[in-house]
Amino acid sequence: MTSSDRPRLAVNPIAYWLAGGVPDRTTRTLGPAFTELAGIGYTAVKADVPDDMRAEDYLPWLASFGLEPALSLYSGSFDDRDTHRQQAEAARVYAARQASFGQRYCMISTFGPPDSPRIAHPAVGSGFDADRLAVVVDGIAGCCEAMRQEGVQAALHPHVGGWVETEHEVRTVLDEVGPDLLAFGPDTGHMSWAGMDVPAVLRDYSDRIVGAHLKDTFAAGIAAAAAEDRDYTEATRPGRIWAEPGLGQVDLAACVAAFPADFAGDYMIEVDVPSVPLRECHRIAYAWALATLPPDVRR
C-alpha cells in the first residue's frame, strides 16, 4: 500500500515465473514479463526482488518498465514454537526490505511443505489440530510484532495448503491477533476454494482490509478436486481451479463491494495458473478490472 489516498490496480507476475514448471524468479523471466504486463497497461507489480538482483537495484529496474512496487507477502509455517524467534527475525528482515520500497503493509501467509496433509488433501482443513492452531497464532503474532519494528503492518493472507486455510482458522487468527498488529489481506480465490462465503467474510473484517489478491475459481474444478481427492498440484493444473477474473464463479463484484469505503490499498490481480495463454490471461484480467473496480482506482 502506498501513501496515496486512492486504491491501485496491481498484478502478481506469478504465472510467468511458474510457467516452466520450475520456479524461476530471475530477471531472465521477469524482465520479459514486466515488458508484457506494462504493455497491457499495468503500472504496479508485487514487490519481490529477483533472485539474481541486488535489492538496491530493484526500484530503478522496475521504473525502467514504468512500474511501481506493490503489496508483497511473507510466508512461513509457524507451527513449531521452537522456530518462532527465527521466523520473527526473518519476517523483520523481510519487512525492512519492504519498508525500503515504500511499503507500509505486507501480507503474511502459510503454505505447507510437500509432505503436509494440507498439500495432499487441500482446502478441507486436513489434519486440523486446535493446539497446533494456537501455536500458529502465536507464531504469526510474533512475526507481526517484528514487522512492526520496521514500520510495516502484517496482513493475514489465507492460503489453501497452509495452516490458515479454512474459515474457522482465518477467523481464529484474526480474532486472536488484534487489529493493532494484524490487518487483513484476503485472497478471493483461496477463500473460495476452501468453501467460504467470501463476500460475507470480507464484510465481517472489512475495516481491516489493506490489500487483496483478486482471483477467480471454477466451481466445477473445485468440485472435481474434492470428489477425486486431488492433491494441490493436480487440483491446480491449467483450467481446473484457477480462473481469470470474471471467467469463474466467485462473485468478485460483491467481494469488491465489501471493501471499506476508504480503501486505499492494492487490488492485485493474481492468476497462479492461467486457463488461457499468459498474455491473454492478463489482458482479460485488465479488461475485467477496468470494467469492475471503482472508478477512482489508479491504473
Side-chain angles (χ1 to χ4, degrees):
M1 187 172 180
T2 67
S3 59
S4 171
D5 60 357
R6 295 169 55 201
R8 177 176 63 175
L9 174 64
V11 62
N12 185 351
I14 184 173
Y16 290 87
W17 57 258
L18 273 181
V22 177
D24 181 3
R25 300 182 184 89
T26 66
T27 53
R28 179 179 61 250
T29 295
L30 292 174
F34 290 168
T35 297
E36 184 162 287
L37 291 169
I40 292 170
Y42 294 100
T43 60
V45 295
K46 182 172 176 281
D48 290 315
V49 179
D51 293 341
D52 57 344
M53 176 175 283
R54 300 183 307 168
E56 55 265 37
D57 296 329
Y58 179 60
L59 289 184
W61 185 67
L62 270 190
S64 73
F65 299 97
L67 298 171
E68 298 176 345
L71 186 66
S72 193
L73 181 149
Y74 174 78
S75 186
S77 56
F78 315 117
D79 60 322
D80 182 352
R81 198 177 294 279
D82 291 341
T83 68
H84 280 183
R85 183 174 296 180
Q86 179 183 350
Q87 287 271 357
E89 175 58 16
R92 186 196 65 76
V93 170
Y94 193 88
R97 175 174 288 186
Q98 292 301 311
S100 75
F101 300 151
Q103 304 297 295
R104 294 169 48 209
Y105 299 97
C106 180
M107 291 179 174
I108 189 166
S109 186
T110 72
F111 189 65
D115 60 350
S116 168
R118 297 284 171 104
I119 301 298
H121 311 286
V124 295
S126 181
F128 174 77
D129 183 291
D131 291 336
R132 181 181 58 227
L133 180 57
V135 173
V136 170
V137 168
D138 287 346
I140 290 175
C143 287
C144 292
E145 290 274 14
M147 295 171 86
R148 187 166 65 174
Q149 293 174 21
E150 302 297 333
V152 174
Q153 185 176 21
L156 182 67
H157 186 72
H159 201 297
V160 168
W163 299 125
V164 185
E165 177 181 68
T166 66
E167 181 170 343
H168 170 70
E169 290 161 350
V170 171
R171 289 182 180 274
T172 296
V173 176
L174 287 171
D175 292 345
E176 292 290 328
V177 186
D180 58 322
L181 271 183
L182 184 62
F184 191 22
D187 184 304
T188 57
H190 283 285
M191 294 170 71
S192 165
W193 185 7
M196 301 183 208
D197 180 338
V198 184
V201 177
L202 299 189
R203 285 191 294 269
D204 286 347
Y205 297 95
S206 176
D207 60 339
R208 295 171 71 170
I209 297 175
V210 296
H213 288 179
L214 296 179
K215 186 184 296 178
D216 212 341
T217 58
F218 294 118
I222 291 175
E228 298 176 17
D229 193 25
R230 295 173 179 166
D231 66 18
Y232 190 95
T233 299
E234 284 299 318
T236 56
R237 293 197 183 279
R240 289 190 168 178
I241 285 183
W242 302 135
E244 289 70 24
L247 299 189
Q249 283 71 55
V250 178
D251 190 347
L252 290 173
C255 290
V256 172
F259 281 50
D262 61 350
F263 177 71
D266 290 327
Y267 291 112
M268 185 169 290
I269 298 295
E270 183 180 73
V271 186
D272 295 21
V273 183
S275 67
V276 298
L278 271 171
R279 182 175 176 81
E280 183 181 352
C281 161
H282 291 93
R283 286 179 62 88
I284 288 170
Y286 189 76
W288 171 86
L290 293 182
T292 309
L293 295 180
D296 65 336
V297 173
R298 292 185 297 128
R299 298 177 173 88

